[in-house]
C-alpha cells in the first residue's frame, strides 16, 4: 500500500518566517498530483492552519476541492496545536469525531486499520491525550488485536521526546500514560506517523517504529544545545513522505518537492 504523509501545512493569509504557506502547499499538492496519483491514501497530520482562523479553513477547503485528489485520495485531515477543533469542524462539516467530540476515528485499508487520533488541546501548543481519549484508543487497539488486524497510528504530536528542547517543551504532557498504551499494544501497532517538529524524524518508541516529515512551509533544523528558546529555520527544503506499507516491512521516502526542478535523469 502506498501512503502519502504530509504535515504542518500552516495555511495562513500572510507569510510565516518568510515563507508562503499557501503557495508551498499548492506546490506540494501539484507534485503529489503529478507523481503520486497511484497512491492509496493521503494523510495530513495536523497544523492545518497557522492560527485556527475560519478564513484559513475555508481556503484549505477550497484548495482541496479544486484538486483532482478526491475519493480515496482526498486527504485525511488531523488537527494540531495551531488548529481550532471547533472552527475546523464548523467548516469541514463532514469531519469525523468520536463520542466526546475529539477529531479521531478509524478507517479500514488494505494494509490494516488506520487510526487517526486527536492530540490537540485548546490554549496550549503542548500535546494532550486525556483519559477519555486514551480509553477510546485502548478500545480500538484491543478490538484490532482481537481480530488480528495490524494498526497504523496517525497523530500530530511526537509520541516521545526527540532530544530537541524547543520541540520537547511542547510534546505530549501525558507521554508516560500514552507510552503505556503503546507498550501494551506494540504487537498490534505497526508504525506511528506524526508531524509537529517540522524536521525529518525516524526512530522507535516502545518497540514501535515511527516517522515524521518536515513542514511543507517552514522546515526547522534540529538543535541539540538544550536551549528551549533556540529554533533553527531558514531556506530549508520542505518535504512530504512517500510510505510503502507491506506485510514484511515499511519503507519511507522523503520528497523535497521544491527541489524537483534540480533533478537530472540518466534515462
Amino acid at each position: 500500500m502506498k501512503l502519502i504523509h504530509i504535515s504542518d501545512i500552516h495555511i495562513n493569509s500572510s507569510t510565516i518566517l518568510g515563507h508562503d504557506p499557501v503557495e508551498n502547499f499548492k506546490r506540494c499538492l501539484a507534485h503529489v498530483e503529478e507523481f503520486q496519483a497511484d497512491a492509496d491514501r493521503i494523510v495530513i497530520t495536523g497544523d492545518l492552519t497557522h492560527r485556527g482562523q475560519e478564513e484559513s479553513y475555508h481556503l484549505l477547503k477550497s484548495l482541496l476541492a479544486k484538486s483532482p485528489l478526491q475519493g480515496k485520495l482526498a486527504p485525511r485531515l488531523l488537527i494540531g496545536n495551531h488548529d481550532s477543533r471547533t472552527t475546523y469542524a464548523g467548516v469541514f462539516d463532514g469531519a469525523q469525531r468520536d463520542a466526546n467530540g475529539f477529531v479521531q476515528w478509524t478507517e479500514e485499508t488494505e494494509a490494516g486499520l488506520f487510526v487517526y487520533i486527536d492530540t490537540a488541546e485548546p490554549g496550549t501548543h503542548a500535546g494532550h491525550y486525556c483519559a477519555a481519549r486514551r480509553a477510546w484508543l485502548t478500545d480500538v487497539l484491543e478490538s484490532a488485536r482481537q481480530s488480528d488486524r495490524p494498526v497504523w497510528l496517525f497523530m500530530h504530536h511526537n509520541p516521545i521526546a526527540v532530544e530537541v528542547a524547543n520541540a520537547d517543551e511542547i510534546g505530549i504532557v501525558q507521554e508516560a500514560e500514552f507510552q503505556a498504551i503503546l507498550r501494551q499494544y506494540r504487537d498490534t501497532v505497526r508504525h506511528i506517523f506524526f508531524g509537529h517538529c517540522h524536521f525529518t524524524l525516524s526512530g522507535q518508541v516502545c518497540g514501535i517504529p515511527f516517522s515524521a516529515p518536515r513542514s511543507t512551509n517552514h522546515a526547522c533544523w534540529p538543535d541539540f544545545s538544550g536551549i528551549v528558546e533556540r529554533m533553527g529555520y531558514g531556506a530549508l527544503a520542505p518535504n512530504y513522505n512517500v510510505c510503502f506499507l507491506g506485510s514484511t516491512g515499511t519503507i519511507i521516502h522523503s520528497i523535497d518537492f521544491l527541489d524537483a526542478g534540480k533533478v537530472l535523469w540518466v534515462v
Side-chain angles (χ1 to χ4, degrees):
M1 178 178 180
K2 184 177 182 179
L3 162 73
I4 307 305
H5 179 197
I6 301 169
S7 198
D8 297 273
I9 60 178
H10 286 262
I11 298 300
N12 195 55
S13 59
S14 58
T15 60
I16 303 169
L17 298 177
H19 302 280
D20 184 341
V22 175
E23 181 60 27
N24 279 350
F25 183 58
K26 286 180 178 178
R27 293 180 68 178
C28 176
L29 279 183
H31 195 273
V32 172
E33 291 162 7
E34 182 174 1
F35 296 103
Q36 320 301 345
D38 61 338
D40 297 291
R41 292 293 188 283
I42 300 172
V43 180
I44 304 179
T45 51
D47 280 358
L48 305 175
T49 68
H50 192 54
R51 294 188 172 89
Q53 296 172 326
E54 183 175 348
E55 63 185 57
S56 296
Y57 290 114
H58 280 295
L59 176 54
L60 173 58
K61 189 174 184 178
S62 174
L63 292 172
L64 296 178
K66 294 174 183 176
S67 169
L69 301 171
Q70 303 296 328
K72 74 171 185 177
L73 287 185
R76 277 54 174 167
L77 305 177
L78 281 68
I79 62 169
N81 49 290
H82 279 263
D83 289 305
S84 163
R85 185 180 295 113
T86 302
T87 308
Y88 164 72
V91 174
F92 288 85
D93 49 9
Q96 299 194 61
R97 307 173 79 177
D98 69 10
N100 293 302
F102 295 110
V103 182
Q104 46 185 28
W105 75 102
T106 65
E107 181 180 20
E108 293 285 357
T109 75
E110 49 265 59
L113 187 69
F114 278 20
V115 178
Y116 308 108
I117 72 172
D118 179 343
T119 58
E121 185 74 10
T124 178
H125 288 299
H128 281 261
Y129 210 63
C130 62
R133 283 176 273 192
R134 296 197 302 272
W136 178 89
L137 179 60
T138 300
D139 286 345
V140 167
L141 295 179
E142 183 60 33
S143 176
R145 172 189 278 170
Q146 293 301 320
S147 58
D148 198 28
R149 287 176 296 167
V151 166
W152 308 84
L153 185 61
F154 297 83
M155 58 196 296
H156 179 67
H157 290 82
N158 42 302
I160 188 173
V162 297
E163 305 300 332
V164 175
N166 180 264
D168 292 338
E169 178 75 5
I170 52 174
I172 293 182
V173 172
Q174 302 87 1
E175 182 180 294
E177 294 88 340
F178 185 74
Q179 290 182 12
I181 297 175
L182 297 180
R183 280 192 296 274
Q184 184 178 356
Y185 292 99
R186 60 186 173 189
D187 61 329
T188 301
V189 181
R190 294 289 186 269
H191 197 93
I192 303 172
F193 302 91
F194 63 91
H196 189 49
C197 298
H198 288 223
F199 42 80
T200 303
L201 276 164
S202 61
Q204 65 89 14
V205 53
C206 302
I208 302 170
F210 64 69
S211 61
R214 303 179 201 125
S215 166
T216 58
N217 189 59
H218 46 298
C220 290
W221 190 268
D223 170 70
F224 309 107
S225 67
I227 302 172
V228 171
E229 297 80 13
R230 185 175 172 86
M231 184 187 78
Y233 70 96
L236 307 173
N239 70 13
Y240 66 86
N241 285 350
V242 176
C243 316
F244 294 89
L245 317 182
S247 58
T248 60
T250 305
I251 307 299
I252 311 289
H253 293 272
S254 291
I255 308 299
D256 300 344
F257 58 91
L258 293 186
D259 287 342
K262 302 176 184 178
V263 179
L264 303 177
W265 300 98
V266 173
V267 178

